[in-house]
């Protein structure tokens, strides 16, 4: 109920600031969150439900005008070994108008939730309360990171937390295999993630071969990306399938699974709207410094639909809500909050303007179990010089330095 109320306030603010500059858009969003969402979030974090010990999985699904969303929900339940232990938090961002801008399809976007819940296989799970929904209109979209923020607040104590995109396919028994991998990982706080193979892959055939591992990163070179770290270099480095997950340096936002205490230890930051970049390197660093160890899956459990060139993009919705061309400078502004946390010298605390970009940043920043400097050294990133050093441990399947035991 609170999130629905906040979205209504967001809509009113967007209308009021329709012709604002990117600085004005940030200022209006910041003030709205500081007044309403941030206090609620801090209270929520103090009163989070206890984590259950029943094998349940919470699946965070964020959808932006996605026609493949309903198939993703169906496949997740159809392929689950224990579908009664699967709970989904769906943040659905749709165009609901009679004329939506998608080629020849001029009607409203497919309603993922309604289509799934009215289907013969979905009705049971919806009636059991296994699908939790937050509806948002296209023009209310704040980008994928904030959609994941909202989805994380629909968690209700499930033992395991998994986040995916809304255009995925699943391997048979993916849920039991996920838990098995987490339990085999040599860590008390494991996170398993990688860039999944394309959805066109036959996941059942791939069960006999090693999964690709995400080892590479690069500093972005485009003018609109602010030299943020981008993840790349996902390959099948292992000749044979492994029984134990191997360490990896990074998590991919479109597929990860972890102990659900992650939501308490590394909570999503409500002051990161309008972003399409930066969430993965930030989350990787925050997890690692909070004592979580990142691993690659031993086999590929999900497939991802990568070819979506003709599908609507959320930054088009930002232009619709405000003015054309405002998204890029707005994203560059907000990226400074991420870059400050990662130690970019150009985004140091005394360099950042406006100072509202640093509101409550300590509440949603690095952990205290391990240092950021140690993490950046282990993964080979120099944010001052914007240089990447090849470290070899991920590619060769070895533990990172200091983790040999």
């Amino acid at each position: 109920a609170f999130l629905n109320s906040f979205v209504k306030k967001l809509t009113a603010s967007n209308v009021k600031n329709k012709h604002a500059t990117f600085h004005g858009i940030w200022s209006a969003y910041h003030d709205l969150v500081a007044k309403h969402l941030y206090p609620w979030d801090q209270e929520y974090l103090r009163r989070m439900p206890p984590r259950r010990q029943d094998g349940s999985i919470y699946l965070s699904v964020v959808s932006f005008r996605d026609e493949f969303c309903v198939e993703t929900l169906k496949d997740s339940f159809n392929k689950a070994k224990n579908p009664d232990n699967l709970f989904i938090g769906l943040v659905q961002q749709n165009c609901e108008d009679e004329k939506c801008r998608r080629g020849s399809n001029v009607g409203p976007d497919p309603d993922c939730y309604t289509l799934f819940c009215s289907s013969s296989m979905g009705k049971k799970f919806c009636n059991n309360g296994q699908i939790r929904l937050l509806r948002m209109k296209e023009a209310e979209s704040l980008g994928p990171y904030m959609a994941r923020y909202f989805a994380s607040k629909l968690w209700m104590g499930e033992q395991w937390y998994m986040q995916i995109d809304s255009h995925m396919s699943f391997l048979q028994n993916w849920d039991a295999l996920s838990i098995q991998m987490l339990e085999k990982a040599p860590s008390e706080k494991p996170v398993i993630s990688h860039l999944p193979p394309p959805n066109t892959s036959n996941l059942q055939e791939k069960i006999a071969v090693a999964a690709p591992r995400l080892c590479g990163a690069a500093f972005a070179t485009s003018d609109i990306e602010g030299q943020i770290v981008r993840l790349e270099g996902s390959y099948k480095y292992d000749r044979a399938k492994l029984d134990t997950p191997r360490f990896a340096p990074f998590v991919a936002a479109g597929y990860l699974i972890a102990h659900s205490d992650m939501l308490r230890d590394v909570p999503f930051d409500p002051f990161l709207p309008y972003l399409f970049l930066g969430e993965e390197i930030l989350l990787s660093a925050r997890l690692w410094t909070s004592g979580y160890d990142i691993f690659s899956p031993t086999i590929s459990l999900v497939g991802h639909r990568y070819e979506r060139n003709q599908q609507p993009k959320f930054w088009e919705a930002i232009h619709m809500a405000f003015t054309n061309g405002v998204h890029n400078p707005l994203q560059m502004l907000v990226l400074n909050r991420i870059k400050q946390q990662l130690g970019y010298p150009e985004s140091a605390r005394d360099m950042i303007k406006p100072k509202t970009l640093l509101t409550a940043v300590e509440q949603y920043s690095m952990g205290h179990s391990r240092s950021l400097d140690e993490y950046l050294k282990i993964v080979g990133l120099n944010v001052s010089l914007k240089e990447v050093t090849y470290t070899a441990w991920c590619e060769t399947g070895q533990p990172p330095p200091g983790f040999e035991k």
Side-chain angles (χ1 to χ4, degrees):
F2 174 83
L3 293 181
N4 286 318
S5 171
F6 175 77
V7 170
K8 289 181 180 178
K9 291 181 175 71
L10 175 68
T11 301
S13 176
N14 287 354
V15 170
K16 182 178 179 181
N17 293 280
K18 168 73 176 172
H19 299 288
T21 64
F22 67 92
H23 277 284
I25 294 169
W26 161 255
S27 179
Y29 176 84
H30 167 273
D31 292 352
L32 186 71
V33 169
K35 183 177 180 180
H36 299 288
L37 189 57
Y38 171 66
W40 174 86
D41 189 67
Q42 290 296 293
E43 181 63 20
Y44 169 86
L45 292 172
R46 285 190 288 270
R47 301 175 61 182
M48 287 179 76
R51 179 177 182 256
R52 304 203 298 267
Q53 300 291 330
D54 57 0
S56 55
I57 292 179
Y58 175 74
L59 188 61
S60 164
V61 181
V62 301
S63 168
F64 180 79
R65 304 194 61 193
D66 194 344
E67 62 189 296
F68 304 109
C69 173
V70 66
E71 296 306 318
T72 298
L73 300 193
K74 287 181 178 179
D75 207 40
S76 69
F77 280 102
N78 276 331
K79 300 283 180 62
K81 183 176 182 179
N82 300 299
D84 291 340
N85 243 358
L86 174 61
F87 298 82
I88 291 179
L90 173 63
V91 175
Q92 178 173 290
Q93 304 160 98
N94 271 4
C95 174
E96 301 172 355
D97 300 334
E98 287 305 313
K99 292 186 177 181
C100 289
R101 299 165 294 117
R102 187 191 284 190
S104 58
N105 298 325
V106 296
D109 291 327
D111 189 318
C112 179
Y113 177 82
T114 300
L115 288 170
F116 178 75
C117 290
S118 62
S119 68
S120 57
M121 68 88 59
K123 188 176 297 183
K124 166 192 170 184
F125 300 112
C126 294
N127 289 342
N128 288 344
Q130 289 176 250
I131 309 289
R132 301 160 199 155
L133 173 69
L134 177 65
R135 288 186 188 274
M136 299 179 70
K137 295 179 181 178
E138 175 188 17
E140 295 164 343
S141 175
L142 295 166
Y145 181 86
M146 278 303 299
R148 293 189 227 282
Y149 168 89
F150 290 130
S152 76
K153 303 309 175 186
L154 302 178
W155 174 78
M156 293 182 66
E158 288 78 19
Q159 184 170 1
W160 305 102
Y161 170 78
M162 180 170 171
Q163 71 180 42
I164 61 168
D165 290 333
S166 57
H167 32 271
M168 311 285 276
S169 56
F170 293 80
L171 177 69
Q172 186 65 47
N173 296 339
W174 64 270
D175 52 336
L177 292 168
S178 293
I179 295 172
Q180 190 179 93
M181 272 194 266
L182 285 162
E183 292 176 340
K184 282 188 173 183
S187 171
E188 292 183 4
K189 299 168 79 173
V191 181
I192 289 177
S193 182
H194 74 160
L195 292 176
N199 71 302
T200 51
S201 304
N202 187 321
L203 295 176
Q204 204 62 45
E205 288 181 359
K206 288 182 176 293
I207 200 169
V209 300
R213 189 156 55 247
L214 176 57
C215 293
F219 287 92
T221 56
S222 166
D223 290 342
I224 62 172
E225 295 177 302
Q227 295 185 299
I228 197 66
V229 175
R230 302 197 65 155
L231 306 186
E232 56 184 34
S234 179
Y235 299 105
K236 293 179 183 176
Y237 294 104
D238 304 310
R239 293 182 179 179
K241 188 179 86 168
L242 306 168
D243 289 331
T244 303
R246 292 295 190 261
F247 283 93
F250 310 112
V251 295
Y255 165 68
L256 68 82
I257 183 164
H259 190 293
S260 62
D261 275 354
M262 166 190 157
L263 298 176
R264 179 180 290 103
D265 297 337
V266 190
F268 285 83
D269 182 354
F271 290 97
L272 286 176
Y274 310 121
L275 292 176
F276 192 70
L277 304 167
E279 65 168 310
E280 292 173 320
I281 183 59
L282 178 65
L283 181 56
S284 300
R286 290 185 63 201
L287 283 166
W288 197 88
T289 58
S290 298
Y292 286 80
D293 297 313
I294 302 167
F295 297 89
S296 181
T298 53
I299 57 174
S300 296
L301 299 180
V302 297
H304 185 280
R305 187 180 295 271
Y306 288 102
E307 296 299 324
R308 304 182 68 248
N309 294 336
Q310 303 305 313
Q311 301 302 312
K313 306 297 189 292
F314 95 89
W315 51 83
E316 297 170 344
I318 304 302
H319 294 160
M320 181 176 68
F322 302 106
T323 53
N324 194 44
V326 78
H327 171 258
N328 287 347
L330 182 55
Q331 175 173 251
M332 287 284 284
L333 181 70
V334 180
L335 267 177
N336 281 301
R337 184 176 173 94
I338 291 179
K339 293 167 69 177
Q340 187 274 333
Q341 294 178 68
L342 293 171
Y344 280 68
E346 66 270 28
S347 298
R349 184 174 288 270
D350 60 341
M351 300 283 286
I352 283 189
K353 292 181 181 180
K355 295 304 180 186
T356 52
L357 287 167
L358 298 176
T359 296
V361 70
E362 295 83 4
Q363 304 295 325
Y364 305 99
S365 193
M366 301 302 145
H368 303 290
S369 298
R370 299 184 285 219
S371 75
L372 174 64
D373 287 345
E374 185 182 359
Y375 172 72
L376 294 176
K377 182 179 179 180
I378 282 177
V379 302
L381 295 175
N382 186 320
V383 297
S384 295
L385 300 178
K386 314 298 184 287
E387 290 180 350
V388 180
T389 302
Y390 177 67
T391 58
W393 60 264
C394 178
E395 289 84 350
T396 57
Q398 302 301 313
F403 288 74
E404 289 81 5
K405 293 182 181 181

